[in-house]
Amino acid sequence: MAFDFKKEKYYAQNNKPSIIDIPKMNYIAIKGKGNPNEKNGDYQNGINLLYKVAYTLKMSHKTDYKIDGFFEYVVPPLEGFWWQDNTESMDYTHKEKLNFISVIRLPDFVTKADFNWAIKEATKKKKQDFSKIEFFSYDEGLCVQCMHMGSYDDEPKTIGLMHEFMEQNSLKFDTSKYHHEIYLSDPNKCATNKLKTIIRHPVKNK
């Protein structure tokens, strides 16, 4: 049976804020700017490319290329690091000002060399430009995490609960890191009120 990363503690679907320590992880990533809802914008085009590389790696065992330590797995959920310039908060009314790093987690056995192979393989098979896709390592560390249920536009309510929790625990948002979202639902296949999004804020002591 294929291993599902969503069953790890890092993807726990708690609807109350909690503290979690996230180890360094590797991702395939693409960076961009602009409204994520924009048709054929940076965000949507970038996600399309990410998934093609992710599935190239997932299906590598059916090719002549063999990854050391490979085991079959479910492609992890799409994630996003978000920020806006010159502000610590997020203004959801001005999505055109959003910066993002869209990512899909890599299993630990995938090396930079394996990533490079996947880029070449995807380029050859899909006849597309994958030059903007990066091998991205991120050490997130101590975080406050909570699952948000519903529209992305309603996230400030959940973030408010997280900030209350941070205050109660003498923590504050670590501005050297990113607002982080993990998308457990596909908005194209799920009713808006049932969307599940894990929100994660890196924190440090006050």
Side-chain angles (χ1 to χ4, degrees):
M1 189 173 183
F3 179 76
D4 189 347
F5 288 91
K6 292 193 298 298
K7 294 182 179 179
E8 290 185 330
K9 63 181 180 180
Y10 308 120
Y11 302 95
Q13 298 180 32
N14 299 326
N15 58 8
K16 293 183 179 179
S18 60
I19 297 171
I20 187 167
D21 196 11
I22 307 297
K24 183 178 180 181
M25 295 180 181
N26 296 326
Y27 304 86
I28 51 174
I30 189 165
K31 299 173 182 175
K33 185 169 185 173
N35 189 333
N37 298 318
E38 182 185 350
K39 191 175 181 180
N40 294 320
D42 281 359
Y43 182 76
Q44 294 192 13
N45 288 338
I47 288 172
N48 180 274
L49 295 174
L50 278 184
Y51 273 110
K52 288 178 179 177
V53 176
Y55 276 95
T56 298
L57 286 163
K58 171 184 166 62
M59 303 307 294
S60 63
H61 65 290
K62 295 192 174 182
T63 72
D64 292 335
Y65 186 85
K66 302 303 176 187
I67 298 177
D68 225 17
F70 181 93
F71 54 78
E72 291 194 51
Y73 62 95
V74 178
V75 170
L78 178 69
E79 308 183 33
F81 300 107
W82 298 90
W83 73 98
Q84 288 171 321
D85 297 329
N86 306 313
T87 180
E88 292 182 15
S89 59
M90 300 272 285
D91 183 353
Y92 285 73
T93 64
H94 286 283
K95 294 179 181 178
E96 75 280 359
K97 295 181 179 180
L98 287 168
N99 299 284
F100 63 83
I101 307 173
S102 291
V103 301
I104 296 175
R105 183 180 166 189
L106 290 171
D108 291 341
F109 56 71
V110 175
T111 66
K112 181 70 183 299
D114 299 325
F115 165 83
N116 290 339
W117 167 83
I119 292 295
K120 290 179 182 177
E121 185 75 0
T123 301
K124 180 174 70 176
K125 289 190 172 182
K126 304 298 182 182
K127 310 297 182 186
Q128 288 180 271
D129 181 8
F130 291 89
S131 60
K132 290 184 178 180
I133 304 296
E134 304 176 22
F135 184 90
F136 180 70
S137 297
Y138 190 55
D139 191 353
E140 205 159 14
L142 193 68
C143 296
V144 168
Q145 178 169 295
C146 188
M147 191 186 75
H148 171 73
M149 194 84 161
S151 170
Y152 303 131
D153 290 337
D154 292 335
E155 286 182 7
K157 295 177 183 177
T158 300
I159 292 170
L161 293 176
M162 293 169 67
H163 279 258
E164 287 177 16
F165 179 83
M166 288 156 58
E167 282 288 331
Q168 293 164 4
N169 289 275
S170 299
L171 298 168
K172 64 179 180 179
F173 183 73
D174 185 348
T175 56
S176 68
K177 297 181 180 179
Y178 304 111
H179 168 93
H180 187 175
E181 299 182 2
I182 302 169
Y183 308 106
L184 302 181
S185 307
D186 183 343
N188 297 314
K189 300 177 181 178
C190 180
T192 300
N193 65 336
K194 293 184 178 179
L195 289 172
K196 292 181 178 180
T197 306
I198 293 174
I199 300 177
R200 190 183 288 165
H201 275 182
V203 294
K204 58 185 179 181
N205 293 321
K206 281 189 171 184

